[in-house]
Amino acid sequence: MRKLLFTLIAFMAMSLSAHADIAPAEQISYTFHFDGIAPVKIAANQSEQLQCQDNQCLDPKPLGKFGIQALNCDEISCYAVSYDFSPYQKLIVKFEDGTLRESEVFPKPAGRKNAMRVTVTPDALKVEREEVPLAPDHLTKGYIISAIIFVFLAEALAAAVFVYMNKLPAGVFLAFLVLNLITIPLNWLMFANYVQSDGILWTAAFLVEFVLLCLFFAKRRLCKEIFGLTLFANVAGYSSGMILSFLITFF
């Protein structure tokens, strides 16, 4: 069991270095406003968002389309979804009158869901953060629900294996499942809107589950076993979620 737990922790550490996401992907919504020119429709599927590592964008790379990751535009607006935006961005938009306008390089917004205002001038784009209570969510409900179920089942399976191999009471397993039915949806549907780091979300869920289970079974003195259970199950769920995020990029 120790070797298996060590393997899962090592896998998670390697996966973290690859910046994979198991929480809702980062999203940027763009609303367009025209200054000094008449409104022009956006040419859908002919625009691009560049990813840059520095504020000069010396080595730009297209956001591209990988699974849910893409820049999507209609006639009046655009939105971008990414597993992990680069530190700096640049927007290039083509309009139906044949003109192509570029923005200055701008830093990646701090939130997971962001609204940006794009001012269109005769020869350029100006991108600014737009203050809204909560930016729109562009991930489909089906994707979010499927991901929640996938991570929950992965953690449930790992917890079942741990409980069986360590001969823990069935009540520990059932209590863990009940807590997961709360912590996983909360992470996806609420806290991920305000916390950009997946590591923080995972750690918070692990600590909440461990503390509550330890308190609930305090009389049985199972805190050591519960620590192993919550760590083992959460690492398995985190790792499985990252595998899922990589698999999605191929479809």
Side-chain angles (χ1 to χ4, degrees):
M1 178 55 66
R2 290 182 180 179
K3 290 183 178 180
L4 182 57
L5 182 58
F6 175 79
T7 301
L8 281 172
I9 294 173
F11 177 79
M12 187 189 72
M14 291 185 291
S15 300
L16 280 171
S17 66
H19 303 289
D21 292 323
I22 61 162
E26 298 176 30
Q27 304 167 62
I28 303 177
S29 300
Y30 298 100
T31 57
F32 287 74
H33 305 267
F34 294 82
D35 182 19
I37 60 172
V40 185
K41 293 180 179 180
I42 299 170
N45 303 319
Q46 298 186 51
S47 301
E48 186 57 84
Q49 183 166 326
L50 301 181
Q51 306 297 292
C52 314
Q53 296 299 322
D54 59 89
N55 59 8
Q56 299 298 313
C57 205
L58 298 178
D59 185 24
K61 297 180 181 178
L63 178 62
K65 183 173 179 61
F66 305 98
I68 61 172
Q69 176 173 302
L71 174 68
N72 302 279
C73 296
D74 54 28
E75 293 182 345
I76 59 173
S77 64
C78 295
Y79 70 88
V81 177
S82 175
Y83 296 107
D84 185 26
F85 285 117
S86 296
Y88 293 90
Q89 308 289 307
K90 184 173 184 178
L91 191 62
I92 303 175
V93 179
K94 186 171 184 180
F95 295 87
E96 288 192 349
D97 62 359
T99 59
L100 189 70
R101 294 177 175 85
E102 300 184 9
S103 73
E104 296 290 332
V105 178
F106 59 93
K108 177 184 75 169
R112 192 179 293 272
K113 294 197 299 183
N114 307 276
M116 307 293 283
R117 177 188 177 95
V118 182
T119 302
V120 183
T121 65
D123 55 2
L125 304 173
K126 183 180 180 181
V127 181
E128 302 171 293
R129 181 73 180 269
E130 191 167 27
E131 295 299 331
V132 296
L134 188 61
D137 195 335
H138 297 291
L139 297 179
T140 64
K141 290 182 179 180
Y143 169 78
I144 294 175
I145 292 173
S146 298
I148 289 174
I149 293 174
F150 181 90
V151 175
F152 173 78
L153 292 177
E155 292 200 18
L157 178 60
V161 171
F162 189 94
V163 167
Y164 174 77
M165 296 189 70
N166 288 273
K167 299 179 180 180
L168 296 179
V172 175
F173 174 68
L174 294 176
F176 178 80
L177 291 186
V178 171
L179 280 176
N180 266 248
L181 287 173
I182 299 172
T183 56
I184 294 175
L186 278 179
N187 269 350
W188 271 82
L189 301 175
M190 183 178 296
F191 299 136
N193 294 331
Y194 307 100
V195 179
Q196 194 169 24
S197 171
D198 295 338
I200 293 176
L201 291 174
W202 176 82
T203 302
F206 161 71
L207 290 175
V208 168
E209 292 164 6
F210 166 65
V211 171
L212 291 180
L213 284 173
C214 188
L215 290 174
F216 189 79
F217 292 97
K219 292 184 178 180
R220 299 192 183 187
R221 298 181 180 179
L222 294 174
C223 285
K224 181 179 179 181
E225 291 79 4
I226 288 172
F227 180 86
L229 167 66
T230 51
L231 181 61
F232 182 81
N234 277 280
V235 168
Y238 194 94
S239 301
S240 299
M242 286 185 288
I243 292 172
L244 174 65
S245 70
F246 282 120
L247 291 176
I248 290 174
T249 63
F250 294 103
F251 298 98

